[in-house]
Amino acid sequence: MDDKTVIKFIGGITVSFILVKILKNILKEPRPILGKTYGMPSSRSTVMAFILFFLLMNYEFKTSTKIILVILTLLTLSIKYYLKQHSIKQLLVGFILGIIIAYIINQCF
């Protein structure tokens, strides 16, 4: 990874966390299991989708590697659902947000 790509990668993750934090405080949707923080959108889902799509947009991988990356991402998100830390809707919105951020970072910088 060259310097510019590293800055875009870390910057995108940082933007993802900040944007999710702002949205959680605006939307104030509770998690399936009551906690001290809100669940919409899922931070983990946003960041995992950002990482997945950033990598897929910037690097050539073998098909088997792409499949493994997708499976690992979905496995990570399914754990959040099965532990009832997020609803499917919260995970899906976070995932879509991560894709959008990855696209914008990749196209604009």
Side-chain angles (χ1 to χ4, degrees), residues 55-66:
L55 291 174
L56 293 177
M57 285 189 282
N58 287 287
Y59 298 98
E60 293 293 322
F61 296 110
K62 295 185 290 185
T63 302
S64 59
T65 302
K66 290 177 186 178

Side-chain angles (χ1 to χ4, degrees), residues 14-32:
T14 303
V15 166
S16 296
F17 274 119
I18 291 169
L19 187 56
V20 165
K21 192 62 112 172
I22 291 168
L23 288 172
K24 283 185 182 209
N25 285 319
I26 292 170
L27 299 173
K28 297 183 179 183
E29 183 174 305
R31 296 172 180 270

Side-chain angles (χ1 to χ4, degrees), residues 43-97:
S43 302
R44 172 102 21 105
S45 184
T46 303
V47 171
M48 290 299 293
F50 171 81
I51 291 169
L52 174 65
F53 281 87
F54 185 88
L55 291 174
L56 293 177
M57 285 189 282
N58 287 287
Y59 298 98
E60 293 293 322
F61 296 110
K62 295 185 290 185
T63 302
S64 59
T65 302
K66 290 177 186 178
I67 291 169
I68 290 168
L69 290 173
V70 170
I71 289 170
L72 290 172
T73 299
L74 295 176
L75 179 63
T76 301
L77 302 183
S78 66
I79 290 169
K80 298 298 267 183
Y81 174 73
Y82 288 114
L83 293 175
K84 299 191 186 310
Q85 293 175 346
H86 288 290
S87 67
I88 293 290
K89 180 176 77 171
Q90 292 167 348
L91 291 167
L92 185 59
V93 169
F95 197 81
I96 292 168
L97 182 60

